[in-house]
Amino acid sequence: MSSGIYIHIPFCSRKCDYCDFFSFKASSSYVDKYIDALLDEINSGKHQALSFDSIYIGGGTPSCIDASYINRILSRLYARYNLNSPEITIELNPETITCEKLQIYKESGVNRISLGVQSFASKNLEALGRHRMVDLNSLWPVIFSIFTNVSIDLMYGIPKQTLQNLREDLRSIPENIKHVSCYCLSIEPGTQLYKKSCNLNLPNDDLLLSMQETIINFLGIKDIYRYEISNYARPSFESRHNLHYWQYDNYLGFGAGAVSTISGERMENTKSMLKYLSRNYVESAYSLSENEQINEYVMLALRLIKGLDLSAFQRRFSKEKVNELLQRISDNNKFFYLKDNFAALNSQGLNLSNTIVSNLFL
Amino acid sequence: MEQKYIRNFSIIAHIDHGKSTLADRLLEITKTISKREMKEQMLDTLDLEQERGITIKLQPARMIYIANNGITYQLNLIDTPGHVDFTYEVSRSLAACEGALLVVDAAQGIEAQTMANIYLAIENNLTIVPLLNKIDLPSANIPVVKEEIIKILGEHEILEVSAKTGINVDSVLEAIVHEIPAPTGKETEPLRALIFDSFYDAYRGVVVMIRVVDGSVSVGQKIKFMQSDKEYEITEIGYFNPKQVKTNKLETGEVGYFAGNIRNIVDVKIGDTVTEFQKEASTPLSGYKEPNAMVFSGLYPVSTEEFPLLREALGKLKLNDSSLKYEPESSKALGFGFRCGFLGLLHLEIVKERLTREYNVNLIATSPGVIYKICLSNADMLTIDNPADFPDREKIDYIEEPVVKATILLPHEFVGAIMELCNKRRGKMLNMEYLTETRVLLFYQLPLNEILVDFFNQLKALSKGYASLDYEFSGYQVSDLVKVDILLNHETVDAFSFITHKDNAYFKGRELVSKLREFIPRQMFEIPIQASIGSKVIARETISAMRKNVLAKCYGGDISRKRKLLEKQKEGKKKMKSIGSVEIPNEAFLSILKIDSE
């Protein structure tokens, strides 16, 4: 079975008001040293026996550092790991896009880009503490001339947002997009938005659910289908890398703060830049108990619209646990549908997945 | 000591009026305790007692005092528990004395509870020595407070004292010697000693505090409790200084304690008479009463695993509190718990507080109730203290509820607000008196169940903390009462049922239903909450179903964190009480105790 590799680039041009990821300014003198440390970590060659079919370069904003760094990282991965015609995704911020950069990415092996658009309307971007200096409409031809597998991130449930405003955002999505991630804004503690959250005028739950309905219908008509709680794709353009997470496959992470999970062993890298630069990569490593693994499996698999593969689940865990889970699923059966040996949440269940999943927890 | 040299007295005072300071000064002057030891004297008390205005109960103390006339006296201070719920205990402590010091704060004046205790002292034929304390305070208003005292006691000499600085405290000791009569017991008659208090000691069993009225008592003697009809042999005798000091004998008129390996506190009844076994006194001392529980509540552990812990904790409390009554009961909603009987509201709160603070039991208390007498249409009489036992309305001829006579003492500017409060609580004004130009005494007849919930707090809030309250049970009255049931998701939750006057039922039902709506979190289905009398629904609210609870993102880096988040949600649910399919947080059960009546 194939696995995924995640590369973390903890640099950004600036921090967005909703972001709770850890990141540094791209101008920082750390960039060069960080990439060296990262290449060393890849060189250490943990879990070389595995074969990988996806690489995801995320951040931060990987596109804010020089493209040659990306080239070096990918070459190193090719040199050290067994890569099996991988999907290679990089996250891009529209501001940082240039034709040259895209060209270098492509030459380095990148074959999928994920564009952090968030919204096409400047009013929405402002509410999120962002602004855009570039005209996206002039960028699309450049992007599509180099990449065909393009994904964008959108956000909804933005302060003061209306259904009308959401529809306008959806209409601005270019026709040939292959994948859309549509996240409902969540206010995380520690973010700028959280500090302001009491007077934000956020849409209520009923409006949020109508917005989601709108998104599902709008994209569906364009042949872009919901396959995960917040992700939509044309058939066979689902994110191979992210499916690894949701199907509880193995994944390897490199970079500060990156996490790996290999056969129930979890490793978390340090988030401290200084520790990372001194090659003290790992912050903690521990085994997940069977119950923890089952809980995570269920939590992740039920994010998928197709649901949890009961036969895969049965192969992986003890019979007694499987029966216990099935019993709990049947106790909550009004939120499930069962089909072809898959147990999936129905649309009401997906909206309440936290409650249901915590009911299923062992 | 010969009786003519003995003086037994008590101190009547409101909280903060300086009772313990005065007692400390007396102990100091008589050299019972050195100044150095003094500091260790401060007794621990529950915060609640402070909040609710109960005076700290002092240890009894025997003091040896050489008076100005050169004669040596034995002075015995017997303190009284300071709260309205413990009136009977107070009256027994007073009965053990011949006199009482009345301590009044020269700045605050007399409070309602003090008044009640003065009347108890007068009933027990005690000589009252009034004194103004804190005369050194700039806010002291000596003439006005003296006027208050004279209004109650009649023309009287009133000492002016500052216990804090020691001004004039000597004169208090002289007044005790000269004004309070000596005991006049019969030394040669069979033993009669009054039990005024007791406590449990793990090694010696129950330690019984007594005042010897007739005869004497010594170690090795076989004694008998006349009311409980139990015999014991005395293993230890002593007096308090205020520490326990062992001795061999207590003479007529003296105060002290004995132990006799008594393991069951129920055998030791306050007010009972101790006599000598097989040389019994012909009649017991008068005034004994069986203390009755007046207020009832069901106490349940939040989690069923804590039931044994609750049982054990109640057992331990009972060792020192013979007035606490409890028996196991079960509720459909709450599982196994105990139906508990208390002397009054404060007693209930103290027990709850101690169970939580000292024994770490997570408690749910059902709405407090009283004993109702119900006459059925077939003329059968029924007494109930639990709403669960309330019969069908059709079968009831009439219902009687307990009423109390409440004394409220307050500054005159709050009279309007407090009268309104009492009217809302179905009070009937009996009398109103001006103690002075600015201080008013209100006498009300109030149904006991109307003052159980939030009355005291309201009284304090409406009078900026100045009003004080005392009440005593005064009988039963016929009343139009109904039982209100609460239905959650169409199922009756027995723990929420309450009995109230018909006129208040709608308001209280509505109030509780809306409180519950506030406290019960949204669940995955819609939950109707209804209040009903019989089959008639009087209030309804709906908790709409939770529609959205979902994580927008979950990728490789945050799987652990998100799992823990959901595990926490699951733990949160465990802490709630599950009734039928509805999960109810503990706050919802507390909310029922906070319904105000209109």
Side-chain angles (χ1 to χ4, degrees):
Chain A
M1 207 204 304
S2 276
S3 314
I5 289 178
Y6 176 77
I7 304 289
H8 192 66
I9 307 293
F11 299 102
C12 277
S13 337
R14 64 177 293 274
K15 192 151 186 107
C16 303
D17 283 2
Y18 57 88
C19 176
D20 68 333
F21 257 62
F22 112 98
S23 60
F24 293 85
K25 281 217 151 155
S27 54
S28 141
S29 58
Y30 287 131
V31 177
D32 210 51
K33 292 180 191 147
Y34 180 79
I35 300 298
D36 280 346
L38 178 68
L39 293 173
D40 282 355
E41 195 195 359
I42 296 170
N43 252 355
S44 69
K46 53 187 177 189
H47 299 289
Q48 273 179 311
L50 296 171
S51 108
F52 296 90
D53 65 357
S54 80
I55 297 170
Y56 194 99
I57 305 171
T61 314
S63 58
C64 75
I65 60 171
D66 199 279
S68 63
Y69 289 125
I70 305 301
N71 181 279
R72 285 169 64 196
I73 293 165
L74 288 173
S75 321
R76 190 63 57 93
L77 286 172
Y78 269 103
R80 303 294 300 185
Y81 284 96
N82 174 15
L83 305 178
N84 181 14
S85 48
E87 168 198 274
I88 303 180
T89 309
I90 186 166
E91 284 180 351
L92 296 178
N93 181 332
E95 263 89 76
T96 57
I97 291 176
T98 62
C99 187
E100 295 74 26
K101 230 179 217 173
L102 295 181
Q103 209 62 54
I104 297 171
Y105 291 155
K106 175 144 199 179
E107 283 157 17
S108 313
V110 172
N111 50 28
R112 180 174 182 271
I113 61 172
S114 169
L115 212 56
V117 172
Q118 318 310 342
S119 173
F120 295 95
S122 52
K123 202 172 77 184
N124 288 340
L125 290 168
E126 265 164 42
L128 296 171
R130 281 194 164 206
H131 25 180
R132 183 160 299 142
M133 330 293 203
V134 295
D135 177 14
L136 275 175
N137 288 328
S138 62
L139 274 179
W140 293 128
V142 180
I143 293 169
F144 285 109
S145 71
I146 300 168
F147 289 103
T148 52
N149 193 351
V150 178
S151 170
I152 59 168
D153 281 4
L154 285 182
M155 215 170 250
Y156 72 97
I158 297 166
K160 297 185 186 148
Q161 193 177 27
T162 61
L163 267 183
Q164 182 57 32
N165 167 298
L166 173 71
R167 282 195 203 98
E168 281 162 29
D169 249 0
L170 292 170
R171 278 197 286 270
S172 307
I173 299 173
E175 284 301 317
N176 27 12
I177 211 84
K178 295 289 194 293
H179 185 279
V180 180
S181 299
C182 238
Y183 301 113
C184 182
L185 174 66
S186 71
I187 312 279
E188 300 292 335
T191 60
Q192 284 298 319
L193 274 188
Y194 188 79
K195 289 175 199 157
K196 306 178 197 162
S197 60
C198 47
N199 41 24
L200 275 182
N201 200 357
L202 289 162
N204 65 24
D205 281 2
D206 287 343
L207 180 52
L208 291 176
L209 291 176
S210 317
M211 286 182 170
Q212 182 175 275
E213 202 63 22
T214 305
I215 295 163
I216 294 169
N217 293 335
F218 187 95
L219 296 176
I221 291 167
K222 298 192 175 304
D223 215 18
I224 303 173
Y225 304 106
R226 188 187 195 196
Y227 70 100
E228 192 257 5
I229 284 174
S230 305
N231 283 282
Y232 304 77
R234 293 188 192 279
S236 83
F237 282 94
E238 294 88 2
S239 162
R240 197 191 288 169
H241 184 77
N242 289 335
L243 280 171
H244 282 315
Y245 297 137
W246 299 321
Q247 291 169 346
Y248 214 47
D249 297 336
N250 292 329
Y251 58 93
L252 213 45
F254 295 101
V259 177
S260 308
T261 307
I262 307 286
S263 321
E265 300 292 321
R266 181 151 297 153
M267 251 187 318
E268 297 176 356
N269 275 3
T270 179
K271 289 184 176 179
S272 149
M273 181 57 87
L274 292 177
K275 273 195 193 166
Y276 191 80
L277 293 184
S278 62
R279 281 28 176 198
N280 288 319
Y281 300 125
V282 181
E283 179 72 41
S284 67
Y286 50 91
S287 306
L288 295 158
S289 68
E290 189 180 24
N291 278 357
E292 284 170 335
Q293 290 184 50
I294 290 174
N295 290 348
E296 290 185 352
Y297 192 107
V298 170
M299 169 179 86
L300 293 160
L302 291 179
R303 297 186 66 83
L304 293 170
I305 305 305
K306 70 172 182 190
L308 183 149
D309 181 345
L310 288 167
S311 40
F313 188 84
Q314 271 159 335
R315 280 195 299 276
R316 188 157 178 160
F317 299 110
S318 66
K319 196 166 180 204
E320 158 203 355
K321 304 274 183 187
V322 172
N323 287 339
E324 206 170 329
L325 180 79
L326 288 174
Q327 182 56 48
R328 291 187 192 202
I329 289 178
S330 82
D331 290 343
N332 289 273
N333 65 353
K334 65 182 271 215
F335 301 106
F336 280 90
Y337 67 86
L338 299 156
K339 194 183 157 211
D340 306 334
N341 230 5
F342 275 79
L345 290 173
N346 59 24
S347 60
Q348 197 191 355
L350 287 168
N351 293 335
L352 295 169
S353 71
N354 284 354
T355 313
I356 296 155
V357 166
S358 66
N359 282 347
L360 301 181
F361 266 17
L362 298 177
Chain B
M1 186 166 284
E2 268 188 72
Q3 286 192 74
K4 62 178 172 184
Y5 303 124
I6 297 173
R7 298 292 181 272
N8 295 321
F9 71 101
S10 166
I11 303 180
I12 296 173
H14 192 70
I15 185 167
D16 288 340
H17 283 200
K19 181 172 74 172
S20 358
T21 322
L22 178 68
D24 285 353
R25 278 301 97 74
L26 298 179
L27 293 173
E28 228 175 84
I29 294 174
T30 56
K31 303 199 172 56
T32 312
I33 303 188
S34 68
K35 256 203 162 117
R36 189 180 49 78
E37 290 171 298
M38 212 65 187
K39 288 208 181 72
E40 299 157 20
Q41 268 250 93
M42 277 310 291
L43 301 166
D44 281 333
T45 73
L46 287 164
D47 295 342
L48 184 77
E49 294 181 333
Q50 299 271 5
E51 286 156 23
R52 297 299 297 268
I54 323 168
T55 52
I56 298 157
K57 188 173 166 188
L58 305 168
Q59 288 289 346
R62 176 189 285 190
M63 295 171 261
I64 301 301
Y65 174 61
I66 304 167
N68 293 345
N69 59 14
I71 298 173
T72 303
Y73 291 91
Q74 182 195 107
L75 312 182
N76 290 306
L77 165 61
I78 299 172
D79 200 21
T80 56
H83 190 268
V84 40
D85 287 353
F86 304 99
T87 307
Y88 172 67
E89 276 84 346
V90 175
S91 83
R92 291 308 85 201
S93 289
L94 292 173
C97 303
E98 280 75 30
L101 298 178
L102 167 63
V103 179
V104 182
D105 186 318
Q108 308 278 329
I110 291 183
E111 307 279 351
Q113 273 167 244
T114 317
M115 296 254 318
N117 287 350
I118 295 170
Y119 292 133
L120 276 177
I122 294 172
E123 273 170 40
N124 281 289
N125 292 320
L126 263 58
T127 301
I128 294 174
V129 178
L131 60 94
L132 285 189
N133 190 21
K134 306 194 190 179
I135 53 159
D136 55 320
L137 286 184
S139 54
N141 195 344
I142 297 169
V144 171
V145 179
K146 274 191 170 176
E147 192 193 325
E148 286 187 3
I149 297 175
I150 288 166
K151 189 110 184 215
I152 297 164
L153 293 182
E155 209 48 57
H156 230 285
E157 195 197 334
I158 299 166
L159 297 172
E160 294 171 24
V161 174
S162 167
K164 198 169 146 208
T165 61
I167 301 171
N168 233 352
V169 178
D170 293 1
S171 68
V172 176
L173 287 162
E174 287 296 314
I176 293 170
V177 168
H178 298 298
E179 292 189 32
I180 296 175
T184 53
K186 300 175 193 81
E187 282 138 17
T188 53
E189 293 282 303
L191 168 68
R192 287 204 301 173
L194 175 70
I195 300 176
F196 63 86
D197 204 354
S198 69
F199 62 89
Y200 188 82
D201 179 283
Y203 301 103
R204 295 173 292 172
V206 181
V207 176
V208 188
M209 301 190 201
I210 51 163
R211 148 76 194 270
V212 182
V213 176
D214 296 324
S216 64
V217 60
S218 42
V219 175
Q221 207 172 13
K222 276 196 143 183
I223 55 97
K224 182 178 166 184
F225 296 121
M226 294 182 85
Q227 294 294 343
S228 54
D229 204 22
K230 292 278 159 69
E231 293 123 36
Y232 289 96
E233 187 178 319
I234 293 183
T235 54
E236 183 184 327
I237 277 188
Y239 61 89
F240 300 90
N241 88 337
K243 275 178 280 188
Q244 295 163 34
V245 181
K246 281 189 203 172
T247 178
N248 288 323
K249 193 174 185 188
L250 291 173
E251 306 271 6
T252 312
E254 289 189 322
V255 172
Y257 70 87
F258 71 83
N261 222 352
I262 305 164
R263 290 292 147 190
N264 192 354
I265 195 142
V266 178
D267 292 351
V268 181
K269 297 175 189 292
I270 288 174
D272 196 355
T273 305
V274 184
T275 190
E276 191 168 356
F277 181 57
Q278 287 178 340
K279 237 173 49 191
E280 290 168 28
S282 50
T283 51
L285 298 162
S286 62
Y288 174 78
K289 272 196 289 191
E290 191 73 40
N292 285 322
M294 299 264 285
V295 175
F296 296 82
S297 172
L299 299 184
Y300 290 84
V302 171
S303 104
T304 47
E305 295 111 66
E306 284 190 354
F307 178 76
L309 183 65
L310 175 61
R311 186 174 49 205
E312 196 190 319
L314 281 169
K316 283 186 182 158
L317 283 183
K318 174 91 184 163
L319 280 179
N320 262 320
D321 182 354
S322 58
S323 50
L324 170 65
K325 302 253 171 6
Y326 65 93
E327 56 184 45
E329 71 168 357
S330 72
S331 145
K332 228 165 61 190
L334 300 175
F336 290 103
F338 293 94
R339 189 81 193 155
C340 300
F342 308 91
L343 294 173
L345 255 190
L346 186 93
H347 188 208
L348 177 151
E349 282 190 40
I350 290 173
V351 169
K352 257 165 53 187
E353 189 87 1
R354 295 188 62 187
L355 288 171
T356 317
R357 284 199 206 173
E358 294 170 33
Y359 298 94
N360 284 321
V361 190
N362 267 319
L363 277 186
I364 291 172
T366 60
S367 180
V370 298
I371 296 186
Y372 297 100
K373 293 182 178 168
I374 301 176
C375 182
L376 300 176
S377 7
N378 64 7
D380 279 357
M381 282 302 277
L382 202 63
T383 55
I384 64 154
D385 62 54
N386 190 340
D389 304 327
F390 202 81
D392 287 343
R393 287 195 82 195
E394 308 79 69
K395 292 186 187 155
I396 299 172
D397 184 8
Y398 64 89
I399 307 170
E400 288 181 3
E401 65 175 336
V403 287
V404 299
K405 183 182 161 194
T407 309
I408 301 164
L409 183 50
L410 73 169
H412 66 120
E413 65 262 41
F414 303 116
V415 165
I418 300 303
M419 281 173 60
E420 207 182 311
L421 172 68
C422 291
N423 291 341
K424 276 187 198 166
R425 306 286 180 130
R426 298 191 282 128
K428 228 189 277 160
M429 190 161 83
L430 302 172
N431 200 2
M432 174 163 139
E433 267 175 37
Y434 274 80
L435 195 57
T436 62
E437 266 177 36
T438 55
R439 301 241 293 159
V440 178
L441 266 169
L442 286 175
F443 298 94
Y444 264 90
Q445 189 187 63
L446 282 156
L448 179 58
N449 82 355
E450 290 288 338
I451 60 170
L452 291 183
V453 175
D454 209 34
F455 181 73
F456 188 78
N457 290 339
Q458 289 277 324
L459 187 78
K460 284 287 177 193
L462 291 171
S463 65
K464 300 199 171 128
Y466 284 114
S468 57
L469 164 76
D470 191 82
Y471 67 82
E472 59 181 338
F473 176 67
S474 68
Y476 271 82
Q477 72 178 15
V478 174
S479 214
D480 195 357
L481 299 165
V482 292
K483 174 185 165 194
V484 179
D485 287 317
I486 300 294
L487 293 89
L488 270 183
N489 209 13
H490 308 291
E491 260 182 76
T492 306
V493 182
D494 55 3
F496 286 135
S497 299
F498 60 93
I499 294 168
T500 189
H501 192 265
K502 201 177 142 211
D503 293 347
N504 290 338
Y506 285 83
F507 175 80
K508 287 191 176 175
R510 260 203 322 271
E511 185 91 336
L512 179 56
V513 159
S514 79
K515 280 258 160 67
L516 288 173
R517 194 190 136 188
E518 197 179 305
F519 284 109
I520 297 174
R522 284 187 176 202
Q523 310 197 4
M524 291 194 293
F525 43 88
E526 185 180 280
I527 307 164
I529 313 174
Q530 294 157 303
S532 74
I533 299 173
S535 58
K536 186 176 162 209
V537 173
I538 57 170
R540 182 191 160 111
E541 294 258 7
T542 308
I543 302 173
S544 55
M546 177 168 53
R547 300 193 55 200
K548 187 171 174 294
N549 180 19
V550 55
L551 297 169
K553 293 184 186 182
C554 192
Y555 297 110
D558 44 19
I559 293 173
S560 289
R561 187 163 64 93
K562 304 259 152 106
R563 167 173 49 79
K564 284 177 189 155
L565 189 91
L566 297 187
E567 280 167 353
K568 230 172 158 183
Q569 280 198 16
K570 185 190 168 193
E571 284 311 302
K573 270 185 239 170
K574 263 199 201 157
K575 286 203 188 109
M576 290 194 258
K577 203 92 201 176
S578 202
I579 294 182
S581 45
V582 183
E583 276 145 2
I584 305 177
N586 204 359
E587 297 85 59
F589 289 98
L590 297 177
S591 72
I592 190 169
L593 302 176
K594 303 240 162 72
I595 322 166
D596 187 15
S597 65
E598 197 165 24

